[in-house]
Every structure is written in structure tokens, then in C-alpha cells.
Amino acid sequence: VGFLSPSLRMGGAERWMLGLARHCDPSRVQWVGTALTEWSRESQLMTREMNRYMPVYGTVVPVDSKEHDRLFVRRPGPDASTGISVVAAQVKVILTWVDGHLGTMTDYYRRHYGLKTVAVVYSDWPLCCAAIQDSADYLSAVSLRAASKAYNKSDVPIQVIYNGVDTERCVPILGRNAFRDKYGIANNAIVLIYIGRFSREKNCLAAAEVAASLGKPFKVMYVGGGDSTDGYTDTEWLP
């Protein structure tokens, strides 16, 4: 089994991949590799962790690029097709994200290598609902909402596999009192925390709306980064 992914950043989709790599039964599933497409961006934390379970293949990048990991990503050729071919030539099943470009690539390797493909959708955003599902053997989603919004086929089964909490990273750094003192949170406040990317399809405002409707002592803390979508940037959200 292998992955075909546009990136290995710190998003929920990538954590979903890492969760599967960690917890699938090794007596039944052998991971061949993760192939990244040409526009990929890579977190060294993610590539390092993924390398514990499989090699990661990418494309040659400019010398001054800061968005690509040079330590844990193998770059066997001048473009992404080389790494994709390395993975595709060894796997029986490939998991790929729902995206127009990835759909074209996956369909090619499916026809030429006889691979079984699992199309995965990670959002209800229209960009994630491309035509790859028409040539997939199986469909998967990270939530029921994503499945209901993205898929319109009834003849291919849909398996929902939820994003889980990474228990290896859930280690307290500060105690409760020290944390509240650091961020000026009253001891009796009830804090709702949003952790993730600040972008429109995440419905980030929902937590603030809930806190506003409940009133005191409810508060909201946002933890994450901005996005390219207008109106959803760090400077506008964090204050």
C-alpha cells in the first residue's frame, strides 16, 4: 500500500495518513512509500515521522526553497513522476486525495499498473470533490460530513475513518494554573479551544458563536495559522 499526496504538512489530512501508517496491522499491510506531487510542501516533523514507516519521495526543489524538507525526502528524479512511479510499481493499493491533478495521475497508474485505488476526501470544500471518485475502486472520508458532501456515487462503498488524537503529542507542558496565568485566563473561565488552520471551510467562527451565545464564563482560544483566504489571517483572528 502507498500514498499519493500533494503535501506532507501539519494538516489533519496528513495526520490521518500518519495515523494509518502507525496503526495498520503490519502482518496484513506493508507500506511501500508516500509519493508527493510537484507542488508539495513538507514539514520536517511530518516527513521524519512518516519515514519511520515508509520512504517519502518528492521532486527536486530550488536551492533556496524553505517549503521543502531536504533531510527525510528522497528525490530520485527531476520531477514528481519519478517518485510516483517508484511507489506505483510496487503497490497493490494506492490511497490518493480527491483532487483534479491527482485524479489524472491516479487514473493513469490505475490503468497501466492495475492498481486498486482508494480515493480519500478530507473536507466538504468543493475543491476536494473532483472527478477522481468516478475511477476509484473504493471511497474513504475523514468524516460523515465530508462523505455526504463530496460523494455522489452509490455503487462504490464509502468507508469513514475518523481523524484521531495523536496521543504521543498530548503531553502537558504547563500545569493548569500556570497555563491560565500565562494567557490571562480567569480560574473560573470555561475555555473552548479551536486548533487548526484558520480558513473558511473549517467554519472557525462556530466556536466564537457558541461562546457568545452562552455568555460568561465561556471564552474561546484559537490556536493555529492563517490561510490565503481573504479575511482569515492571523492578525485578524488572534486579537
Side-chain angles (χ1 to χ4, degrees):
V1 184
F3 285 111
L4 177 58
S5 175
S7 68
L8 267 179
R9 292 182 289 175
M10 285 300 296
E14 289 88 343
R15 303 301 307 187
W16 187 90
M17 294 167 61
L18 184 56
L20 283 185
R22 281 178 175 168
H23 299 296
C24 280
D25 183 352
S27 67
R28 301 178 60 200
V29 176
Q30 177 186 351
W31 294 105
V32 168
T34 295
L36 304 176
T37 51
E38 292 184 58
W39 56 95
S40 64
R41 285 181 281 178
E42 307 131 14
S43 157
Q44 188 173 104
L45 174 61
M46 285 298 305
T47 56
R48 182 187 66 202
E49 290 298 304
M50 192 64 82
N51 259 277
R52 294 169 57 184
Y53 310 98
M54 69 189 81
V56 179
Y57 299 94
T59 182
V60 173
V61 297
V63 175
D64 59 349
S65 174
K66 297 180 180 180
E67 295 186 329
H68 296 79
D69 171 42
R70 302 177 186 280
L71 185 60
F72 296 104
V73 178
R74 306 181 188 187
R75 307 186 187 277
D79 56 50
S81 64
T82 310
I84 295 171
S85 295
V86 170
V87 173
Q90 299 178 72
V91 300
K92 293 181 179 178
V93 179
I94 194 161
L95 283 77
T96 182
W97 301 110
V98 177
D99 177 275
H101 297 289
L102 292 183
T104 302
M105 294 179 185
T106 304
D107 186 58
Y108 172 83
Y109 286 102
R110 183 173 182 259
R111 289 184 285 109
H112 284 75
Y113 289 91
L115 307 180
K116 295 291 185 182
T117 60
V118 181
V120 184
V121 68
Y122 57 92
S123 172
D124 63 359
W125 202 22
L127 178 64
C128 306
C129 311
I132 184 176
Q133 57 183 319
D134 295 329
S135 61
D137 298 290
Y138 305 95
L139 303 178
S140 182
V142 302
S143 69
L144 287 172
R145 178 176 175 84
S148 65
K149 292 291 184 178
Y151 294 136
N152 54 27
K153 294 186 65 174
S154 59
D155 56 335
V156 176
I158 301 173
Q159 177 66 54
V160 175
I161 302 175
Y162 293 100
N163 266 327
V165 173
D166 185 355
T167 56
E168 293 185 10
R169 299 180 69 208
C170 292
V171 180
I173 299 175
L174 294 174
R176 180 182 187 275
N177 293 336
F179 181 88
R180 286 178 175 249
D181 288 343
K182 180 177 180 179
Y183 292 100
I185 302 171
N187 189 54
N188 66 338
I190 300 174
V191 183
L192 309 179
I193 298 182
Y194 171 91
I195 302 176
R197 189 174 74 250
F198 304 159
S199 58
R200 194 173 301 276
E201 76 273 15
K202 301 292 185 181
N203 193 19
C204 308
L205 285 176
E209 291 168 352
V210 169
S213 65
L214 292 172
K216 295 182 178 180
F218 289 88
K219 293 182 176 293
V220 177
M221 173 177 282
Y222 283 92
V223 181
D227 190 65
S228 58
T229 307
D230 290 341
Y232 290 81
T233 64
D234 291 21
T235 54
E236 294 168 337
W237 278 85
L238 293 182

